[in-house]
């Protein structure tokens, strides 16, 4: 079943211990869409400027991603500059130019209306709420956010959370939203804010899914679930790893049509798999050139990494 | 098969957000022995002072731990005071009194000589090396250490590492020993120092075992293995969690008599299980009152937490 995703399609200028890239295609919706495209149909809502050319669009359409919801406006695309030279675990933002995103008002093409899965990638919660309102009847709505919106736009974010079935964030964001350092207690607080499923990403240590009591009925099925991350000798560029995790995770759920305990567990593994590929090269380079066979082979490695037999 | 363990048997004064305990029985060898005692025979080498009474010894002998190697000297036992009030992840050491450990010279009882498994719990590497030399023919020697020995006694520690088959440490210690922030690269460096098996404990995120190429022959079997930690709502006292992990891990391996890939994977899970119990109450309270049924039930929870089917 198709996913509609709203988020940034942007240019990133990235510096890591392994080198530099100027203005490569990035943005949360881009990384999410590419990863999810290996599992299901993906439709993007975003806005770009005149610097977004046919070669950039081709990166998405080659993976059968529906780009009819990408609006083209005069001016420049969103541009993010960041550095991982000090730490591969923490992006240092050098510059953020919202450009065409400053005046963006999302319009959902008629062809997108039957999307049954909705993902609100990291972006201004006002835009997330806008898209959520335009898609009231989706089967499952998940989303992401980041520190900036949590601290400076908490009321807008609270409105978004009320409309989400699930939220994917990292440890620091979970603690920041809830003012709680224990992840089990943080999860309970977030369940109370709206999302009955919470996936907390632990970077190189994997991710944990927390479910409120109502998600799967039986309390035993609602136990947390942990998926590993793959220990890697080389992390070339962490940009987009979290969005690629989300794309693999939600893409797999959408491909199965519903969120059973078995489906969400495999989804956590596919999230880890896509995140592990994303960091192997700069920007979208690795995921854009990936094959389904490579995904399946790495899924097996994740099983060997974490399963007793 | 029996484990001989050398390490501290001590009194701990502990403060956490959940309360305070004065002079409860602790020390690395104590926590290790109690956890390992659920899996195999354990023999302790340590030194205590006149403050170590029959009631303290009974805590160990009740679990069938052989205490004939605990030397009694005039003076006071090792005493550690620490606080977890600022952070449950980092013990703040308030005071350390080595007392009888200052002049300790380990003597191994004749009844211990046939021990086939040796664990050098966290203690001065000079004492670890001394015991290793006295037990040259053990089947498997594993050990632990901590920041203080890594930074202030690195040459002594290097001599210990050369004689170890395996090392169990945490992320910070692995990075400190190797000056390497990538765990895969840190593992390679530690393999080159001696221990061909390295278990890195990630606290609430679980633990990863890294094997050098020679451990299991085939390169596929030498892939890393990750075990989860149990997400807990309440951590009463983290003291001894790492030693309890080590006791569960090495105790299970010794109970199986050899370290196959299947055995070491289950050992990682038993390590996590024992660590998860250790933190539920102060000091040794929880492990000392544990049953084998509780261990088996939690092992199943660890499987559900991490396994797809």
């Amino acid at each position: 079943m198709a996913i509609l995703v709203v988020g940034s399609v942007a240019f990133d200028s990235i510096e890591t211990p392994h080198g530099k890239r100027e203005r490569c295609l990035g943005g949360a919706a881009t990384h999410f869409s590419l990863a999810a495209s290996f599992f299901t149909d993906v439709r993007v809502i975003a806005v770009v400027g005149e610097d977004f050319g046919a070669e950039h669009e081709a990166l998405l359409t080659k993976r059968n991603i529906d780009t009819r919801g990408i609006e083209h406006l005069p001016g420049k695309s969103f541009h993010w500059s960041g550095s991982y030279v000090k730490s591969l675990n923490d992006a240092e933002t050098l510059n953020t130019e919202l450009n065409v995103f400053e005046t963006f008002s999302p319009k959902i093409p008629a062809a997108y209306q039957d999307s049954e899965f909705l993902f609100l990638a990291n972006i201004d919660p006002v835009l997330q709420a806008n898209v959520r309102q335009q898609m009231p009847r989706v089967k499952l709505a998940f989303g992401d956010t980041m520190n900036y919106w949590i601290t400076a736009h908490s009321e807008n974010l609270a409105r978004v959370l009320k409309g989400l079935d699930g939220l994917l964030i990292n440890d620091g964001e979970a603690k920041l939203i809830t003012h709680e350092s224990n992840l089990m207690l943080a999860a309970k607080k977030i369940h109370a804010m709206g999302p009955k499923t919470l996936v907390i990403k632990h970077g190189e240590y994997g991710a944990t899914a927390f479910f409120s009591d109502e998600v799967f009925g039986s309390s035993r099925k609602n136990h947390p679930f942990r998926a590993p991350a793959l220990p890697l000798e080389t992390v070339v560029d962490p940009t987009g790893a979290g969005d690629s995790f989300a794309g693999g995770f939600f893409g797999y759920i959408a491909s199965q049509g519903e969120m059973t305990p078995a489906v969400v567990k495999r989804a956590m593994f596919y999230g880890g798999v896509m995140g592990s590929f994303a960091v192997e090269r700069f920007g979208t380079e690795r995921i854009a050139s990936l094959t389904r066979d490579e995904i399946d082979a790495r899924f097996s490695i994740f099983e060997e990494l974490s399963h007793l037999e």
Side-chain angles (χ1 to χ4, degrees), chain A:
Chain A
M1 291 176 181
I3 297 176
L4 187 158
V5 54
V6 61
S8 55
V9 171
F11 290 103
D12 290 342
S13 296
I14 304 160
E15 191 175 4
T16 87
H18 293 274
K20 273 176 105 160
R21 287 291 186 284
E22 291 292 334
R23 301 185 60 77
C24 56
L25 188 65
T30 302
H31 290 292
F32 176 94
S33 298
L34 286 170
S37 72
F38 288 90
F39 302 93
T40 195
D41 293 334
V42 183
R43 299 148 172 190
V44 189
I45 299 281
V47 61
V48 293
E50 291 152 310
D51 47 5
F52 184 86
E55 74 276 25
H56 302 117
E57 189 141 0
L59 256 170
L60 301 172
T61 52
K62 240 197 267 178
R63 293 273 341 129
N64 284 320
I65 295 164
D66 192 330
T67 57
R68 285 176 290 179
I70 299 183
E71 194 176 344
H72 293 251
L73 287 185
K76 281 185 165 184
S77 299
F78 184 13
H79 181 215
W80 177 78
S81 303
S83 171
Y84 300 90
V85 171
K86 284 182 195 153
S87 164
L88 280 166
N89 295 318
D90 270 314
E92 181 190 3
T93 293
L94 303 175
N95 196 25
T96 303
E97 301 161 33
L98 282 178
N99 298 328
V100 290
F101 259 102
E102 288 191 67
T103 56
F104 180 46
S105 172
K107 294 162 211 62
I108 296 173
Y112 284 17
Q113 293 290 346
D114 62 353
S115 309
E116 290 186 279
F117 290 80
L118 175 65
F119 192 79
L120 309 176
N122 174 34
I123 197 174
D124 188 334
V126 170
L127 297 177
Q128 292 180 315
N130 175 318
V131 171
R132 181 73 184 93
Q133 273 186 331
Q134 293 187 61
M135 298 294 293
R137 279 181 300 275
V138 290
K139 195 162 177 177
L140 218 51
F142 270 57
D144 187 5
T145 190
M146 67 179 287
N147 289 359
Y148 175 71
W149 310 117
I150 296 168
T151 50
H153 297 257
S154 59
E155 286 180 29
N156 293 339
L157 180 61
R159 274 190 285 275
V160 174
L161 293 182
K162 274 188 201 152
L164 286 184
D165 301 298
L167 181 68
L168 286 99
I169 49 179
N170 66 33
D171 290 71
E173 289 155 359
K175 291 172 184 177
L176 198 63
I177 292 177
T178 60
H179 308 287
E180 174 58 60
S181 64
N182 179 294
L183 294 184
M184 287 285 275
L185 300 178
K188 284 194 174 174
K189 286 190 178 179
I190 287 171
H191 293 327
M193 293 174 185
K196 302 301 176 211
T197 296
L198 171 68
V199 176
I200 302 186
K201 295 167 286 177
H202 314 307
E204 63 176 313
Y205 303 122
T208 310
F210 299 90
F211 311 98
S212 81
D213 289 343
E214 50 267 65
V215 178
F216 297 127
S218 131
S219 73
R220 198 166 173 91
K221 285 181 183 163
N222 286 319
H223 278 179
F225 182 74
R226 287 213 151 163
L230 185 67
L232 292 167
E233 276 191 27
T234 310
V235 172
V236 170
D237 173 18
T239 312
D243 302 312
S244 302
F245 181 102
F249 173 85
F250 206 54
Y252 179 73
I253 291 176
S255 78
Q256 301 302 299
E258 59 175 346
M259 203 183 87
T260 67
V263 164
V264 78
K265 287 176 181 186
R266 295 182 74 85
M268 291 286 286
F269 272 59
Y270 280 115
V273 164
M274 300 310 284
S276 76
F277 281 120
V279 303
E280 287 185 353
R281 292 198 216 151
F282 274 96
T284 60
E285 287 171 21
R286 185 67 180 99
I287 303 271
S289 67
L290 203 59
T291 67
R292 182 64 208 224
D293 281 351
E294 288 177 308
I295 293 172
D296 294 339
R298 188 155 293 181
F299 190 94
S300 298
I301 290 175
F302 270 67
E303 284 187 297
E304 285 173 30
L305 176 67
S306 58
H307 281 46
L308 293 173
E309 269 93 43

